[in-house]
């Protein structure tokens, strides 16, 4: 079974996320033992951000890393586990509000593909980049 | 990103005290009504603000990076040529992200004013300074102090200022700065916390300097677009700010000190602090909403409950101000108004001459214009937060639209208190 990074690299629609993870120097951390839960925004999700937003972040890896870490939670959290929670602590340290009702929502994003298993964790694909605050 | 859309019909009308404003925000508008006069006023004042701001950010960084712990900083407002020539990161040919199409060094109008002052005569710099015929950095420092003092609004940044890493970084810089000065090094040994607190204050100088370095070219560009007929409505002006907030959000906030040929990284860029979270949002909260009662404008009796017990309830910012510059030296808002007076575009001077008491109360008129313009900037911040944390204005899910409305209503609740000027700025006659 591939790890989190290998799944992102080999799946269509995650080229921005992969480039961002590489620019932020997080490849190693996301390829490690984990386990980690990653809320992975699609290319379309990044494209929704106003012009310049992603470029400024890519030019500044520590700041980019901080935003990306907000998409990662320690531990293997499947949708059924998340359904029992109101929020999860991100690696950035800010909490991520979660809701599982008729839809599976992470802050202001909706999960479009849940429970993608990797050797070192689990991926939930989201339709928005989520931001702290 | 265009946020101007037709009002979503799926929600019933808001019952909020400021329902009209809520509906306008939901339609992608600003708290400030979209009228040609409002647009003219806010763009004109952005330009008049941007010129002194071009001095503020340069001098704030000069103080944070070069003046540093000078025990007698009498000349801290005498900015060096290097900092006047310093290229703005968002203007000029060298900018990686060019917001203003103009040059990256100090604005020509600023240089001219620094040379001749209000008097229009080239006098020695010291005379201009003592006569207060200069850009009033005291206003910028008051804003910085507000950010420093309301420490709860910037928890991540503030927590870092008390870490072992920050203290070790500061210690290295303090020892290098006072190398060969046994008196100051002795004082540092006796009172280390006093020195560290000064460095923390200087880190806020850097923070605010880096924040305003972005805003000056934003305002210059808006003014140019208006002059070219390319910015024609208040929502367009707000959207330009929203897009700017996002584009720059990830800019690093840091504090570097230059001693001799060495750069000492007090707050390294690698700490991950960002323009949006550690500068812009704390600035808006500290300066637009809270600040502190300015001494000399009004007497407050804290024991009678006239000053809130809790700092988060402070409401002395521009959004609540009874704009009445008494003219007394040392009162920061008056000093800002005086600074902006020197750089008003002709169309605003003409407008002020036609209203109220003409030139006699121009400071009050431009102060109220400034208040209108900051309601528009605050609207941009509210829309940017909505965009970042909530949902599109045309989201098809009614639950999401309800969440947007709850957010807007919560934000506008802050203007229910009697001192707020939201009601006033709805009227064109408020001058």
């Amino acid at each position: 079974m591939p790890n989190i990074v290998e799944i992102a690299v080999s799946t269509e629609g995650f080229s921005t996320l992969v480039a961002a993870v590489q620019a932020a120097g997080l490849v190693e951390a996301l390829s490690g033992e984990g386990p980690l839960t990653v809320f992975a925004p699609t290319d379309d999700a990044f494209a929704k951000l106003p012009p310049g937003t992603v470029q400024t972040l890519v030019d500044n890896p520590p700041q980019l890393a901080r935003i990306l870490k907000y998409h990662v939670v320690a531990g293997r959290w499947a949708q059924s586990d998340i359904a029992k929670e109101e929020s999860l602590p991100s690696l950035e340290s800010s909490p991520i509000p979660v809701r599982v009702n008729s839809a599976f929502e992470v802050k202001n994003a909706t999960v479009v593909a849940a429970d993608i298993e990797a050797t070192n964790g689990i991926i939930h694909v989201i339709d928005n980049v989520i931001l702290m605050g | 990103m265009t946020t101007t859309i037709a009002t979503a019909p799926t929600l019933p009308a808001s019952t909020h005290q400021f329902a009209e404003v809520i509906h306008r925000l939901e339609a992608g508008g600003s708290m400030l009504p979209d009228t040609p006069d409002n647009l003219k006023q806010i763009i004109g004042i952005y330009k008049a603000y941007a010129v002194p701001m071009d001095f503020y950010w340069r001098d704030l960084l000069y103080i944070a990076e070069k003046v540093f712990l000078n025990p007698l900083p009498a000349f801290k407002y005498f900015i060096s040529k290097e900092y006047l020539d310093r290229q703005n990161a968002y203007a000029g040919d060298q900018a990686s992200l060019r917001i203003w199409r103009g040059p990256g060094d100090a604005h020509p109008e600023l240089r001219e004013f620094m040379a001749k002052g209000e008097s229009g005569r080239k006098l020695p710099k010291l005379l201009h300074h003592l006569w207060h015929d200069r850009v009033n950095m005291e206003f910028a420092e008051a804003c910085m102090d507000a950010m420093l003092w309301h420490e709860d609004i910037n928890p991540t940044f503030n927590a870092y200022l008390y870490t072992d890493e920050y203290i070790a970084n500061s210690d290295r810089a303090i020892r290098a700065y006072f190398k060969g000065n046994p008196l100051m090094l002795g004082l540092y040994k006796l009172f280390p916390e006093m020195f560290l607190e000064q460095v923390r204050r200087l880190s806020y100088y850097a923070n605010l300097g880096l924040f305003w370095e972005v805003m000056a070219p934003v305002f210059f560009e808006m003014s140019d677009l208006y002059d070219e007929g390319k910015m024609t409505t208040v929502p367009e002006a707000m959207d330009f700010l929203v897009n700017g907030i996002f584009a720059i959000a990830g800019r690093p906030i840091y504090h570097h000190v230059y001693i001799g040929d060495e750069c000492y990284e007090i707050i390294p860029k690698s700490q991950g602090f960002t323009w949006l979270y550690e500068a812009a949002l704390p600035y808006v909260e500290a300066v637009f909403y809270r600040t502190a009662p300015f001494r000399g404008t009004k007497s407050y009796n804290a024991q009678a409950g006239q000053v809130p017990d809790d700092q988060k309830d402070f409401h002395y910012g521009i959004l609540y101000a009874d704009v009445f510059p008494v003219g007394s030296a040392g009162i920061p808002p008056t000093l800002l108004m005086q600074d902006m007076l020197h750089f008003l575009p002709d169309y605003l001077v003409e407008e002020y001459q036609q209203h109220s008491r003409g030139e006699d109360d121009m400071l009050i008129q431009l102060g109220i214009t400034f208040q209108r313009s900051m309601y528009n900037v605050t609207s941009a911040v509210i829309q940017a937060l909505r965009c970042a944390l909530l949902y599109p204005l045309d989201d098809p899910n009614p639950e999401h639209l309800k969440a947007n409305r709850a957010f807007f209503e919560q934000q506008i609740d802050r203007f229910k208190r009697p001192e707020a000027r939201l009601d006033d700025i709805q009227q064109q006659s408020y001058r």
Side-chain angles (χ1 to χ4, degrees), chain B residues 312-374:
Chain B
K312 74 174 172 49
D313 296 327
F314 271 44
H315 51 275
Y316 304 103
I318 184 64
L319 302 176
Y320 301 96
D322 177 7
V323 179
F324 181 66
V326 292
S328 309
I331 297 171
T334 308
L335 295 176
L336 169 64
M337 291 174 207
Q338 188 67 26
D339 280 347
M340 293 192 293
L341 180 70
H342 301 133
F343 306 107
L344 288 175
D346 292 342
Y347 59 79
L348 266 195
V349 174
E350 280 168 26
E351 163 136 355
Y352 294 152
Q353 280 167 342
Q354 288 163 14
H355 291 96
S356 300
R357 283 179 283 137
E359 296 213 354
D360 290 344
D361 70 347
M362 207 176 278
L363 282 184
I364 295 179
Q365 290 195 58
L366 77 85
I368 288 170
T369 294
F370 183 70
Q371 192 167 52
R372 286 182 191 277
S373 76
M374 291 302 123

Side-chain angles (χ1 to χ4, degrees), chain A residues 48-54 56-57 59-60 62-63 66-67 92 99 105 107-110 128-133, chain B residues 1 96-97 156 243 246-248 250-253 269-274 277-278 387-391 397 400:
Chain A
K48 285 183 199 169
L49 292 169
T53 313
V54 175
T56 300
L57 286 166
D59 291 343
N60 298 289
Q63 285 63 31
R66 188 170 158 201
I67 302 296
E92 191 274 338
R99 292 174 301 281
E105 293 186 309
K107 196 145 190 166
N108 57 339
T110 301
N128 269 323
V129 176
I130 53 172
L131 295 165
M132 302 86 76
Chain B
M1 182 192 54
S96 56
L97 175 63
T156 315
N243 285 331
F246 272 95
I248 310 298
R251 178 187 202 195
I253 293 296
K269 290 182 181 177
S270 60
Q271 198 49 42
F273 292 140
T274 63
Y277 287 107
E278 275 71 41
C387 185
L389 309 177
L390 288 142
Y391 304 99
N397 184 337
H400 292 175

Side-chain angles (χ1 to χ4, degrees), chain B residues 149-150 152 290 307-316 417:
Chain B
W149 189 59
H150 290 288
D152 61 303
R290 295 194 196 180
V307 177
D309 291 335
D310 206 333
Q311 275 178 239
K312 74 174 172 49
D313 296 327
F314 271 44
H315 51 275
Y316 304 103
R417 60 177 317 134

Side-chain angles (χ1 to χ4, degrees), chain B residues 215-282:
Chain B
M215 296 314 295
V218 166
F219 291 149
F220 281 134
E221 183 63 18
M222 292 174 80
S223 172
D224 284 359
L225 288 170
Y226 177 76
D227 291 346
E228 293 161 7
K230 293 175 184 163
M231 187 165 277
T232 55
T233 65
V234 171
E236 275 174 28
M238 185 190 71
D239 281 347
F240 188 87
L241 290 163
V242 172
N243 285 331
I245 289 169
F246 272 95
I248 310 298
R251 178 187 202 195
I253 293 296
Y254 57 90
H255 180 195
H256 292 173
V257 178
Y258 297 92
I259 303 165
D261 294 333
E262 289 261 346
C263 172
Y264 291 83
E265 297 193 350
I266 307 265
I267 301 176
K269 290 182 181 177
S270 60
Q271 198 49 42
F273 292 140
T274 63
W275 183 87
L276 177 66
Y277 287 107
E278 275 71 41
L281 295 177

